[in-house]
Amino acid sequence: MNLTCPRRRLLRRAALLTVTAAVVLAGCGSMDGLDAGEPAPSVSVQPRPDALWPAWSGTSSQTPGADTATHQPPPEPLEGLPKLGKGGLGAADFRKILRADPRMKPLADRGEIDRPGKAGLRPPLLTDLTGDGQPELLVAADTESGRSVLAVYRAHEGRVYPVLLTAGKRVSVATIGPDLLVRSSCADGGEQAVRYHWDGVRLSTVSDIKSYKKTPGADGSPAPVPTPEPSEDGDGR
């Protein structure tokens, strides 16, 4: 039997498929990759967290990245406060602001604390979280149960607006670029890291990540990495 002709047809077909595959791959590369001579895009540097109350902060610098969305009505100005002067929130009595906020009023008259492990109010802080050049007021209260409450207030046209209220266990707070990063411990041993960004109305959640620390070995060393069992063909896959 003569197999020459069928074999030649098969070879020609294989060559055609190879050329077709090369064209398809070239098309994908031009859509998502770089063309010849095209410069690579610059790589932006991700800012690192900058602790606001360092005594309450850990050493982790993981940056959350999972997107979430929140939809709430716009905040209303606090009632019963005099109009802010030129000094803005920096010249205001933060305890009067807490008393005017129904959610923070029960904590307004607690004593100030300078380190974790006590119940009371952390020293109030001023930092710009909206990018308008005017600092926001941050007040955190630690309770006897180990939980903390964080409130953030913004000044606008002489009025004071509550733009964030959050709570958690052993809360640490940092700024990361223009955003606010709030970490808290979870009951199951994990850590929750929530990142807030100014959306023009309030500090809204842009990421919410829960992570777990690696379990160390019996001698305090890092836990060993498990070795995969070799497959029957011995390639370890």
Side-chain angles (χ1 to χ4, degrees), residues 36-95:
E38 183 179 350
S42 60
V43 179
S44 61
V45 178
Q46 174 65 46
R48 295 175 63 85
D50 185 12
L52 296 181
W53 284 285
W56 280 265
S57 299
T59 58
S60 174
S61 60
Q62 178 185 353
T63 301
D67 292 335
T68 60
T70 57
H71 301 283
Q72 301 176 18
E76 297 289 337
L78 297 178
E79 299 295 337
L81 290 174
K83 195 168 184 178
L84 296 175
K86 292 183 178 180
L89 288 170
D93 185 341
F94 79 95
R95 292 186 183 273

Side-chain angles (χ1 to χ4, degrees), residues 162-217:
V163 294
L164 177 66
L165 182 71
T166 186
K169 190 174 183 180
R170 291 195 292 273
V171 166
S172 65
V173 186
T175 53
I176 179 166
D179 299 344
L180 192 69
L181 186 63
V182 180
R183 291 191 176 96
S184 60
S185 301
C186 303
D188 55 6
E191 180 190 66
Q192 185 178 19
V194 184
R195 185 169 179 168
Y196 298 94
H197 180 80
W198 176 248
D199 63 5
V201 178
R202 61 160 45 79
L203 290 169
S204 60
T205 304
V206 293
S207 69
D208 187 343
I209 286 183
K210 189 174 181 180
S211 59
Y212 294 88
K213 296 180 180 179
K214 294 181 179 179
T215 304

